[in-house]
Amino acid sequence: MSQAERSASIINITFVRPAAFYINGFTNIPHAQYYYVFLCFVYIMTVVGNGFLMSVIYLVKTLHSAKYMIVFSLALTDLCGSTALIPKVLDTFLFDRRYIVYEACLSYMFFVWFFAFVQSWTLVTMAYDRFVAICFPLRYHSIVTKPAVAVMLLCVWAFSLSLFAAAVGLIDRLSFCGSLVVQSFFCDHGPVYYLSCSDTTANTDIANVFVIIIICVPLVLIALTYICVAVALSRIASGAERIKALKTCTSHIILVAIFFLPLLGTNLAVIMSSLHPNTRIINSTLTHTVPALLNPIIYSLKTEEVIKAIRKLCNNSSLRRKTSDNKMKCSGRVHNGKPQVLF
């Protein structure tokens, strides 16, 4: 047998793919199940809020614009991201099913981080929309069109799909010959590949790419757009017009802060100091779940167009109810006054 064949044989013998991983979750925290009940409440409200916002955008024709295509995409991503994460977390810890099959673990990891990436870059797309609306108001409707937004969103989804498929593929080539206890609340990328006894240089590199592409690049792009917006607003003579233009950005600024600040804080804390696993788990769960809960609330309460659309839907439903009641009353009077004639 040649040297190359012997090396290949050794690699095949030492390569170990586990049947399952064990999700550790919290350690030594009494009554931790109440935290997972809280996550269950967060998930229910996330489904209701994002479902309601998507329904309003779908039903009200005045919201069938390029801007609200992006809002609809964000609501859909929030809903899918929460659905990918929270139900499995509840199943794992409330029903004590902590062992997860190897393939299911990789799928779990893929979908959680896939939707986090799409959320991040959807917020960048929203920033681009506000940048064009304020800096180039006369050309807004010719630049930010439905086809252009559709292409941007499809590119975000496609790039996210390819990036995280590559990340999961790199984990699939690793050998796991030691502990199979994942020190997290789900099959997180870092805690899983740390368990490998193979060379994980490529996995570390792609993890660094994740941080740059999900947090750093979007934040830089959003900051640049708002610098341009601030310059454009400074050129507006009227203070009232300046405030009116700025109000159209407040919802987006709040969404950016809610999404990026916890992510940035958690990653900086991990880099600069050693976070206790329980603290990291709490930070990570809230970072992954709370923005999806708050996004539809903020857009419903802070955006005048959405508030008007909700009022319009309520008025239309009440008008239809009154019309139906009047028809029933009129029908009752006719039947009581004269016998009905059948033709």
Side-chain angles (χ1 to χ4, degrees):
M1 184 183 292
S2 68
Q3 182 66 31
E5 288 174 338
R6 280 199 297 273
S7 298
S9 177
I10 292 169
I11 290 169
N12 287 334
I13 291 168
T14 57
F15 183 83
V16 178
R17 176 175 291 173
F21 289 105
Y22 181 84
I23 310 295
N24 196 41
F26 290 119
T27 53
N28 300 321
I29 291 186
H31 309 297
Q33 65 270 21
Y34 293 118
Y35 184 70
Y36 299 115
V37 172
F38 163 72
L39 288 183
C40 180
F41 169 77
V42 168
Y43 177 65
I44 291 169
M45 296 308 296
T46 299
V47 171
V48 171
N50 286 287
F52 175 73
L53 182 58
M54 287 191 292
S55 300
V56 170
I57 294 170
Y58 177 76
L59 293 172
V60 179
K61 290 184 179 180
T62 54
L63 299 182
H64 292 183
S65 62
K67 174 185 174 181
Y68 284 97
M69 281 178 66
I70 306 172
V71 176
F72 188 94
S73 175
L74 182 64
L76 178 63
T77 306
D78 288 339
L79 182 59
C80 293
S82 295
T83 302
L85 178 66
I86 299 178
K88 185 58 183 172
V89 168
L90 299 179
D91 180 63
T92 300
F93 297 106
L94 283 181
F95 301 101
D96 200 24
R97 296 169 183 163
R98 302 197 181 199
Y99 283 98
I100 182 168
V101 177
Y102 175 80
E103 291 79 8
C105 182
L106 296 189
S107 300
Y108 193 11
M109 178 195 306
F110 171 82
F111 283 110
V112 170
W113 283 109
F114 168 79
F115 288 116
F117 178 95
V118 175
Q119 279 176 304
S120 175
W121 281 86
T122 303
L123 290 172
V124 175
T125 311
M126 281 183 168
Y128 171 75
D129 171 79
R130 292 299 83 206
F131 163 73
V132 177
I134 293 173
C135 297
F136 305 100
L138 298 179
R139 297 176 57 196
Y140 174 76
H141 292 291
S142 61
I143 296 173
V144 184
T145 61
K146 288 183 184 179
V149 168
V151 169
M152 284 189 284
L153 294 174
L154 283 173
C155 287
V156 167
W157 285 68
F159 183 68
S160 178
L161 185 69
S162 57
L163 178 66
F164 289 99
V168 170
L170 285 173
I171 285 183
D172 195 40
R173 69 174 183 81
L174 298 177
S175 181
F176 296 87
C177 46
S179 172
L180 299 176
V181 179
V182 179
Q183 299 294 338
S184 186
F185 66 102
F186 76 107
C187 286
D188 203 353
H189 182 258
V192 169
Y193 84 75
Y194 288 159
L195 300 175
S196 173
C197 50
S198 305
D199 179 19
T200 58
T201 304
N203 303 88
T204 304
D205 290 341
I206 203 163
N208 293 332
V209 170
F210 284 175
V211 174
I212 292 168
I213 293 181
I214 294 178
I215 302 175
C216 300
V217 174
L219 271 177
V220 169
L221 291 175
I222 291 169
L224 288 173
T225 60
Y226 276 109
I227 289 170
C228 295
V229 165
V231 171
L233 290 176
S234 67
R235 293 173 182 169
I236 298 175
S238 170
E241 289 296 321
R242 196 179 300 140
I243 292 170
K244 184 180 178 181
L246 188 59
K247 278 184 178 179
T248 64
C249 303
T250 54
S251 297
H252 180 253
I253 293 169
I254 294 169
L255 297 185
V256 168
I258 289 170
F259 182 80
F260 284 105
L261 290 182
L263 267 179
L264 192 62
T266 302
N267 282 277
L268 286 175
V270 168
I271 293 167
M272 298 174 68
S273 63
S274 56
L275 272 182
H276 190 277
N278 290 341
T279 306
R280 187 174 59 80
I281 287 171
I282 291 172
N283 286 347
S284 297
T285 50
L286 295 179
T287 299
H288 279 281
T289 56
V290 172
L293 168 67
L294 296 180
N295 287 353
I297 297 172
I298 291 164
Y299 247 93
S300 299
L301 296 178
K302 296 289 291 182
T303 309
E304 289 184 12
E305 291 169 305
V306 176
I307 293 171
K308 287 178 182 177
I310 293 169
R311 286 174 182 164
K312 185 178 178 181
L313 280 177
C314 293
N315 291 336
N316 288 344
S317 63
S318 62
L319 183 62
R320 280 196 295 269
R321 196 179 300 114
K322 287 178 182 177
T323 304
S324 176
D325 291 344
N326 289 336
K327 284 181 179 178
M328 289 177 67
K329 287 177 182 177
C330 291
S331 176
R333 289 194 195 102
V334 170
H335 291 170
N336 291 332
K338 293 182 180 180
Q340 188 176 10
V341 180
L342 298 178
F343 292 96

